[in-house]
Amino acid sequence: TTTAVFLKSEVKDQVRRLRDELEVEEQALLSLRVDRQLPFEDVAEILGLRRDQAPTARKRYERVVEKLRKIAEREGLLGGQD
């Protein structure tokens, strides 16, 4: 339906705005993992780390996701957790 298409478009716009608030490096990390679905070993290598430093890349990713969650809450896109 037209309403469903509009809502889907609105959600994409909101996600894009959230991503725009991230640092360039954070955006790149998110893109590598979410958009391109690369394993953390590959993400680590692209970030200039060794493949065996995949846990470091994973931790950075987790921090970016947490930052996005906080931004989304601040913007009223997610309910706060009490």
Side-chain angles (χ1 to χ4, degrees):
T1 67
T2 304
T3 303
V5 171
F6 172 77
L7 291 175
K8 188 174 184 180
S9 175
E10 182 65 24
V11 168
K12 285 183 180 181
D13 289 344
Q14 290 172 341
V15 169
R16 190 173 304 113
R17 284 193 298 272
L18 290 174
R19 281 184 169 203
D20 287 346
E21 292 200 35
L22 297 174
E23 300 293 328
V24 174
E25 297 83 12
E26 294 169 330
Q27 290 178 20
L29 175 57
L30 198 63
S31 178
L32 293 170
R33 185 67 184 148
V34 175
D35 301 334
R36 296 181 58 192
Q37 299 180 347
L38 294 177
F40 283 110
E41 292 81 7
D42 293 349
V43 172
E45 199 167 45
I46 292 168
L47 294 176
L49 303 170
R50 296 185 316 271
R51 289 182 69 79
D52 65 348
Q53 290 180 300
T56 300
R58 178 186 302 269
K59 189 64 178 176
R60 288 182 187 177
Y61 171 77
E62 290 170 354
R63 288 183 186 129
V64 169
V65 170
E66 178 64 17
K67 183 176 180 178
L68 272 179
R69 186 189 63 74
K70 287 179 180 178
I71 294 169
E73 282 182 358
R74 182 189 75 215
E75 297 295 322
L77 301 174
L78 295 176
Q81 297 177 351
D82 296 322

